[in-house]
Amino acid sequence: MKEYSAKTVDEAVKVASEELGIDENDLIFTIIEEKKGLIGKKATITVYELTDAIEFAEKYVKDVIESLGVGSVTTKTSLEDDIIRIQVDSDHNPILIGKNGVTLQALTEITRLAVSGKFRRRFRILLDIGDYKNAKYSRVASIARRTAKEVQKTKVDVTLDPMPSDERRVVHSAVSEFSHIKTESIGEGHKRSVTIKYVE
């Protein structure tokens, strides 16, 4: 992280953008000081790099899980396709995953909110515990492809069970190259699901 000062926040952002070679819209910063007086103006911002957000996310996840008293926790974090991926292993993975992954989903959501709140920018975060998500993705993709073949054959649309956004993306991707097939997300919140449709 690094501080930049200028007469206004906009000017400080511009200076940081030019020095770091990052578009102003992609700059991650917080306002430290903004003075407007008769003598003069001054604004100071702290600019964060993506690595700062990744490190914060990893530490936040580890602190939250350890506070639950589930024993030792190991984490491994990477950035893929603009998604912060955090792989977690603990002495009690099933407890952290929860029934149908509900606890894991909640941990993912609070981590996303904490990181987005800290850096004032929306981040996509994927938390996986004991490789649960990767195994789930394989099952979801298999169901999606099988359903798409059925829709191709019967020409009758099928709506899958509600699922979180990361799993819906797996469905869209899994059937994207099927002929006469398109997918559409429908519903709101936890009831949002994917419909696999036949198109002429």
Side-chain angles (χ1 to χ4, degrees):
M1 66 185 75
K2 191 173 180 181
E3 290 189 359
Y4 292 87
S5 296
K7 287 184 178 180
T8 66
V9 171
D10 288 343
E11 287 180 14
V13 168
K14 186 176 182 181
V15 170
S17 173
E18 290 174 354
E19 182 180 310
L20 299 172
I22 300 173
D23 187 276
E24 291 182 23
N25 294 324
D26 295 328
L27 212 61
I28 308 170
F29 70 92
T30 56
I31 300 170
I32 302 300
E33 180 184 46
E34 189 174 12
K35 290 182 179 178
K36 296 178 182 179
L38 296 173
I39 300 173
K41 298 178 181 179
K42 184 183 179 184
T44 302
I45 62 171
T46 296
V47 176
Y48 298 94
E49 294 186 42
L50 189 55
T51 52
D52 294 317
I54 292 171
E55 288 172 8
F56 177 86
E58 184 172 23
K59 185 178 184 305
Y60 183 85
V61 167
K62 197 167 185 178
D63 288 348
V64 168
I65 292 175
E66 286 180 345
S67 72
L68 299 175
V70 293
S72 63
V73 177
T74 59
T75 58
K76 181 181 178 183
T77 306
S78 61
L79 182 69
E80 298 175 32
D81 302 323
D82 291 327
I83 301 174
I84 299 175
R85 297 176 182 269
I86 307 173
Q87 180 68 44
V88 177
D89 268 302
S90 77
D91 295 335
H92 300 283
N93 284 344
I95 293 173
L96 295 176
I97 293 167
K99 187 177 181 181
N100 296 323
V102 172
T103 307
L104 171 57
Q105 196 62 37
L107 286 169
T108 302
E109 183 64 15
I110 63 169
T111 302
R112 184 187 65 77
L113 291 172
V115 177
S116 298
K118 168 73 174 176
F119 297 98
R120 297 175 60 214
R121 175 180 163 186
R122 184 179 175 85
F123 287 91
R124 288 172 63 190
I125 292 177
L126 177 61
L127 182 62
D128 196 1
I129 297 175
D131 218 30
Y132 171 86
K133 274 293 185 182
N134 284 331
K136 185 73 178 289
Y137 289 159
S138 295
R139 292 196 299 272
V140 168
S142 178
I143 291 169
R145 286 190 287 266
R146 189 166 65 244
T147 304
K149 289 177 183 177
E150 180 185 328
V151 172
Q152 278 180 325
K153 183 178 178 181
T154 64
K155 299 183 181 180
V156 176
D157 299 348
V158 174
T159 299
L160 302 176
D161 290 336
M163 60 185 74
S165 59
D166 56 320
E167 293 175 20
R168 293 197 304 273
R169 282 193 291 272
V170 171
V171 174
H172 295 308
S173 176
V175 303
S176 61
E177 296 184 8
F178 276 67
S179 60
H180 301 292
I181 291 293
K182 80 168 187 176
T183 54
E184 180 183 351
S185 288
I186 60 171
E188 299 294 332
H190 296 301
K191 294 183 179 180
R192 197 158 173 79
S193 57
V194 178
T195 297
I196 298 177
K197 297 183 173 183
Y198 182 85
V199 291
E200 294 291 348

